[in-house]
Amino acid sequence: MKITVIGTGYVGLVSGACFAEMGNRVTCVDVNADKVARLRGGEIPIHEPGLDEVVHQTFADGLLTFTTSLPEAMSDTELLMIAVGTPPGEDGSADLSHVLAVAGEIGRHLQKYMVIVDKSTVPVGTADLVREAVQKQLDARGVSIVFDVVSNPEFLKEGSAVADFMRPDRIIVGASSERARRLMESLYAPFSRTRDKIIFMGIREAEMAKYAANCMLATKISFMNEIANLCERLGADVESVRKGIGSDRRIGYDFIYPGCGYGGSCFPKDVKALINTAKKSGFEPLLMNAVEARNEQQKRTLFAKLEKHFGSLEGKTIAVWGLAFKPDTDDMREASSVVLINQLIAAGARVRAHDPIAGETALLEFPSRWFEEGLLTLVQHQYDVLDQADALVLVTEWKQYRQPDFDLIAKNLRVIVDGRNQYDPVQLRELGFAYYGVGR
C-alpha cells in the first residue's frame, strides 16, 4: 500500500517507519526542511530504541522517503495519515491548529477518493472538524470528491514504541463507511496475524477511547501516590501494600508503582485535555481534577523531603540521578526532574545532574545562565554527581541506577531521596544513610 504520513514527530516517524517495515511504500511529510534533510541524511531526531535501525533500513530499501511537499506526496498515495502535534493550550485544551491546517491543505490538493486518518491524539469531534476543513476547500474549488475521515489513535509507550507498534495489544479504528473499514483492515492485517486485534467502532468512540485509556492509567498512578502519602503518615510501607493489592487480578501490578509523579507528552496533556472537554460540555470531571491535582503535588514531594531533612537548602549541593520523565527516552516534557531542579535553584541550592540520554535535552530545558554560573552542572558519569554533594535524589529509574555502589556513595554523602522506591530502606539505614522513599 502507498501511504503518506504527515508529521515526522514521535508518532509520525514511528508509524511511517513501521508501516514501511511491513513492505508498504511510505512518504513522510514535514514542513521543516532542515528536519527533512537531516532525516534523509540518516539523523533520527528522537531517542527511541530500535527506531534508527528501522528508519535506516527502510530508507535504504526505498520503502521510506521524506519530503516537504504534501501535494507531491498526495499525487501517488492511497491513504493520508495526520500525525502532527496537538500541544496543550493555556486552558489545557488540545491545540488543533496544525491538524486543521493540514486538513485544509489536503482539501486544496485532493484529486481522488482518499481515506484521511487522524493518528494524532485529538478531542472527541475532531474528525468532524477535519471533514469540514477538507470539504470547505473542495467547495471553494468547485469540485466534488468523495473522501472518508477515520480515527485511528496510537497507543505507543515512549521507550518501547517500535515494539508496541509491531506487536499491538489492540488496533482501534473509528470509521463510518465500509470502504474505509476495508482499507484499514488491509493496512493492519500484517500486525494482527496471530489474532484479530482490530476493533472497529464509531469515530467519536475511537477518539474517546484514546483519552479514556491514558486517563485510566494516570488515575492508577495518582491513586497509588495518594495511598503512598497516606502510608507515610501512618507508618506503613507502601511497597508491601502495593504487592498486596497488585496480586488481585482485578487490579494487577501495572501502573501502581508509587513515585514522584507522571510526566511526558501524553498523560499530562491528555488528562488536561479531557478535563477541558468535560467542562466545555457542562460536566465537572471531579475524578480527573483530582488525578491532575495529585500529580502536580506529587512532583513537589522530593523537594519537600529535602527541605524537611535540611531545613534551609541555601548553599547545599544536591545530586540528581535521572532527568528524562521515564527511562529509555530523552523526553523531559512535564518531567518531575524539571520541577525539582527549579525548586532547588530557587531555594539557593546547586544541582549536579546525570542522565544517560537526556543531557542535551536538559541544556535546552533550563536557562543557559544556570549552567554558566555553576548553579546546574551536567556530568558525564553517574558517580560524578557526588562531588561535594549533600544529598542524592533518584528521579528516573534507569537500570544503571538500580544497584549502585552504596559504599562509594557513603564516602561522599549520607542522604538519599528515592523518588521511585528502587532501594531497600532497611539496608540503607543500616549503612548509615538517612533514607527517604515515597510512602516508606
Side-chain angles (χ1 to χ4, degrees):
M1 189 177 295
K2 296 177 180 178
I3 305 166
T4 294
V5 178
I6 305 161
T8 59
Y10 190 84
V11 174
L13 188 57
V14 171
S15 300
C18 289
F19 280 129
E21 175 84 345
M22 287 299 185
N24 298 289
R25 293 192 176 276
V26 180
T27 301
C28 287
V29 181
D30 201 292
V31 295
N32 187 326
D34 179 63
K35 189 176 186 182
V36 168
R38 286 187 283 118
L39 284 165
R40 287 172 175 171
E43 184 179 337
I44 310 302
I46 58 176
H47 175 80
E48 182 60 43
L51 180 59
D52 52 351
E53 291 92 340
V54 177
V55 171
H56 293 156
Q57 187 60 55
T58 54
F59 183 78
D61 292 342
L63 295 172
L64 180 65
T65 57
F66 302 97
T67 183
T68 58
S69 174
L70 180 56
E72 176 186 304
M74 287 178 61
S75 66
D76 186 28
T77 195
E78 300 168 70
L79 182 145
L80 290 165
M81 190 165 285
I82 302 175
V84 295
T86 54
E90 290 185 7
D91 61 355
S93 63
D95 181 355
L96 297 178
S97 59
H98 301 303
V99 171
L100 297 180
V102 168
E105 187 172 3
I106 290 172
R108 287 191 289 274
H109 301 286
L110 194 64
Q111 299 294 332
K112 60 180 181 179
Y113 172 78
M114 197 77 66
V115 171
I116 302 168
V117 180
D118 280 337
K119 197 69 174 172
S120 303
T121 299
V122 293
V124 176
T126 298
D128 294 337
L129 299 178
V130 169
R131 177 179 294 280
E132 291 171 7
V134 174
Q135 190 61 54
K136 180 179 180 180
Q137 295 302 320
L138 294 177
D139 293 343
R141 291 165 55 196
V143 298
S144 178
I145 301 172
V146 177
F147 64 94
D148 277 306
V149 178
V150 167
S151 175
N152 174 218
E154 52 84 18
F155 295 94
L156 307 177
K157 300 185 295 293
E158 290 194 44
S160 61
V162 173
D164 290 344
F165 198 101
M166 301 302 283
R167 295 182 293 276
D169 293 326
R170 78 292 206 194
I171 300 162
I172 290 181
V173 177
S176 57
S177 80
E178 185 59 32
R179 187 175 182 181
R181 280 192 289 268
R182 286 198 303 269
L183 186 65
M184 296 300 290
E185 194 169 30
S186 175
L187 173 66
Y188 280 110
F191 300 92
S192 57
R193 295 183 65 85
T194 56
R195 62 179 175 85
D196 188 6
K197 298 178 181 179
I198 304 176
I199 304 173
F200 286 106
M201 59 183 68
I203 294 174
R204 284 177 172 254
E205 289 77 7
E207 292 171 332
M208 186 62 178
K210 167 64 176 180
Y211 278 107
N214 278 354
C215 288
M216 170 61 83
L217 298 176
T219 298
K220 292 185 73 174
I221 295 171
S222 281
F223 171 81
M224 204 63 210
N225 283 331
E226 187 101 322
I227 294 299
N229 292 329
L230 183 57
C231 283
E232 199 166 300
R233 286 155 178 79
L234 298 177
D237 188 337
V238 73
E239 287 303 307
S240 295
V241 176
R242 177 184 64 79
K243 293 172 184 176
I245 67 174
S247 60
D248 186 328
R249 286 178 295 179
R250 295 170 301 173
I251 298 172
Y253 291 104
D254 292 340
F255 291 88
I256 62 167
Y257 290 85
C260 50
Y262 59 76
S265 62
C266 294
F267 288 4
K269 177 172 70 73
D270 292 352
V271 170
K272 290 183 178 76
L274 191 59
I275 289 172
N276 181 269
T277 296
K279 290 182 176 180
K280 283 184 176 178
S281 70
F283 177 76
E284 188 61 36
L286 301 180
L287 179 58
M288 287 297 95
N289 284 336
V291 169
E292 165 69 8
R294 166 48 53 210
N295 191 61
E296 288 303 305
Q297 185 62 35
Q298 201 68 18
K299 292 179 180 180
R300 299 177 177 276
T301 58
L302 302 181
F303 179 83
K305 292 177 188 298
L306 289 167
E307 193 172 44
K308 180 180 179 180
H309 180 87
F310 290 109
S312 172
L313 289 165
E314 182 77 35
K316 300 295 184 184
T317 297
I318 307 301
V320 173
W321 274 353
L323 296 170
F325 86 93
K326 63 179 286 188
D328 296 317
T329 180
D330 61 352
D331 194 343
M332 289 181 61
R333 284 174 287 184
E334 301 279 351
S336 300
S337 64
V338 176
V339 175
L340 172 63
I341 291 172
N342 280 327
Q343 286 184 291
L344 288 171
I345 300 297
R350 294 179 181 270
V351 177
R352 294 176 62 81
H354 174 268
D355 189 284
I357 298 296
E360 290 189 12
T361 307
L363 291 173
L364 301 175
E365 180 67 38
F366 299 107
S368 59
R369 177 179 65 82
W370 289 4
F371 299 104
E372 295 164 1
E373 297 178 5
L375 299 176
L376 174 57
T377 302
L378 303 180
V379 301
Q380 294 297 314
H381 191 281
Q382 70 183 79
Y383 292 108
D384 289 344
V385 298
L386 304 176
D387 185 29
Q388 303 298 312
D390 297 289
L392 171 64
V393 184
L394 174 70
V395 182
T396 313
E397 65 276 30
W398 287 92
K399 290 178 181 178
Q400 68 191 70
Y401 301 148
R402 292 183 182 178
Q403 290 187 313
D405 185 343
F406 289 116
D407 290 333
L408 176 59
I409 296 172
K411 293 176 181 178
N412 291 270
L413 54 85
R414 288 287 178 169
V415 180
I416 292 180
V417 177
D418 183 359
R420 299 296 177 182
N421 286 0
Q422 295 294 299
Y423 308 135
D424 181 352
V426 174
Q427 176 197 6
L428 292 189
R429 286 165 183 155
E430 287 178 349
L431 290 173
F433 286 101
Y435 172 86
Y436 300 90
V438 180
R440 311 187 82 178

